[in-house]
Amino acid sequence: MVGWIIFLGQPTSFSTKLRMVFVQLCTPFVKLGDYFPFVQSRRVLAKQNEELHQENDVLRQEVRALSETGRENIRLRELLNLKEHTAFHTVTARVIGRDSSNWWKSIQIDRGSNDGVRENLAVLNADGLIGKIVSVTHGEARVLLLSDPNCKVSALLQDTREPGVASGSDAAFSFSPHCVMTYVNRDAKVKTGENVITSGLGGVFPKGIVIGTVTGVQLNKQTGMYQDVEIKPAVDFRRLEEVIVILE
């Protein structure tokens, strides 16, 4: 092998021709590498692969963002439709926080006194009653949820027109809170599935807002004079994102 290298390096006419033949034989194999991807550098391929992965991740994020925007638009259209069909002056707000000690006690919204919000105003969404405003700052407000026992609402059984008081049950550790309507006449014919609405008494909650539906009834064991009506709330308190505050 060393002898051939020395021989081809000599400046003779025969070695010059031999070098030309050798170069011509090797050139097709060198050019052939340009036509096969697997000859390319692994580092280049790895870089291209990483760039494609990153581009794919970006596209996935954009698709998810568009999907979430679509869902939000549906919710906002429902609230807009509610605002258009109510005679009250209202303002739309976003939920920005929850009570850390009790998930079903209260929420924080991004509207305050600067937007006309004040204490003891009713809060609802397209499904029904949510609660009432209990504290206000310039830019935020706290809403006491109907699922809290301290939120008392004057209520009516929609079909029988029997009155009572609706409030939350003790739902601090409940996955799906429910409400109860107390002080219902013991002789009232309460029907499962009947709607419960606000009665309009008390000056906080306007009349006719849906509270929920009757799921059960039993005689109050302490007094024996009234029935306690179990209510499934119309609102899903686990999924509150946008709400409406009735200003007047």
Side-chain angles (χ1 to χ4, degrees):
M1 178 62 71
V2 176
W4 275 103
I5 295 174
I6 295 173
F7 176 74
L8 290 174
Q10 299 300 316
T12 64
S13 59
F14 178 77
S15 62
T16 300
K17 292 180 179 180
L18 192 59
R19 282 198 303 272
M20 292 176 62
V21 171
F22 182 78
V23 170
Q24 289 176 353
L25 288 172
C26 294
T27 299
F29 294 98
V30 174
K31 292 183 177 179
L32 195 61
D34 297 335
Y35 298 96
F36 289 89
F38 60 81
V39 182
Q40 298 180 27
S41 169
R42 285 188 176 183
R43 184 176 300 175
V44 173
L45 291 175
K47 182 179 180 181
Q48 292 176 346
N49 190 43
E50 179 63 24
E51 290 174 351
L52 288 173
H53 276 298
Q54 291 176 357
E55 183 178 352
N56 194 33
D57 290 341
V58 171
L59 290 173
R60 281 203 192 100
Q61 292 172 4
E62 291 178 352
V63 169
R64 284 194 290 266
L66 289 173
S67 177
E68 179 59 26
T69 300
R71 291 189 177 97
E72 183 181 27
N73 286 338
I74 292 173
R75 295 194 303 271
L76 291 176
R77 279 199 298 270
E78 290 175 347
L79 291 181
L80 180 60
N81 183 61
L82 177 62
K83 290 182 66 174
E84 291 176 348
H85 289 82
T86 181
F88 301 100
H89 181 207
T90 63
V91 63
T92 305
R94 294 181 185 276
V95 177
I96 58 174
R98 279 187 177 268
D99 191 305
S100 59
S101 62
N102 186 339
W103 191 258
W104 313 120
K105 183 178 178 63
S106 67
I107 57 174
Q108 202 79 8
I109 60 174
D110 65 349
R111 297 283 191 172
S113 58
N114 290 340
D115 307 289
V117 176
R118 62 183 187 278
E119 292 183 10
N120 289 323
L121 293 181
V123 181
L124 64 155
N125 64 10
D127 296 321
L129 185 64
I130 292 174
K132 66 177 181 178
I133 303 293
V134 291
S135 64
V136 182
T137 65
H138 292 299
E140 298 180 5
R142 188 166 71 92
V143 180
L144 183 66
L145 298 178
L146 178 62
S147 54
D148 187 271
N150 295 314
C151 187
K152 309 291 186 181
V153 183
S154 181
L156 276 177
L157 293 169
Q158 192 170 35
D159 295 336
T160 61
R161 314 309 292 178
E162 288 289 340
V165 177
S167 63
S169 62
D170 189 6
F173 301 101
S174 174
F175 178 74
S176 181
H178 65 275
C179 299
V180 61
M181 183 175 174
T182 55
Y183 302 109
V184 178
N185 191 305
R186 62 174 294 162
D187 297 323
K189 304 299 182 183
V190 183
K191 300 178 295 183
T192 301
E194 182 176 0
N195 283 338
V196 181
I197 61 174
T198 55
S199 69
L201 302 178
V204 176
F205 304 98
K207 187 175 183 177
I209 301 174
V210 176
I211 294 174
T213 56
V214 175
T215 58
V217 60
Q218 61 181 357
L219 193 66
N220 186 286
K221 296 179 180 179
Q222 293 182 347
T223 65
M225 299 175 59
Y226 302 102
Q227 296 183 85
D228 292 337
V229 179
E230 295 182 1
I231 304 171
K232 179 182 179 181
V235 171
D236 186 349
F237 294 102
R238 297 171 300 171
R239 296 184 174 92
L240 294 176
E241 296 183 65
E242 296 90 17
V243 304
I244 283 180
V245 181
I246 297 180
L247 300 180
E248 58 180 53

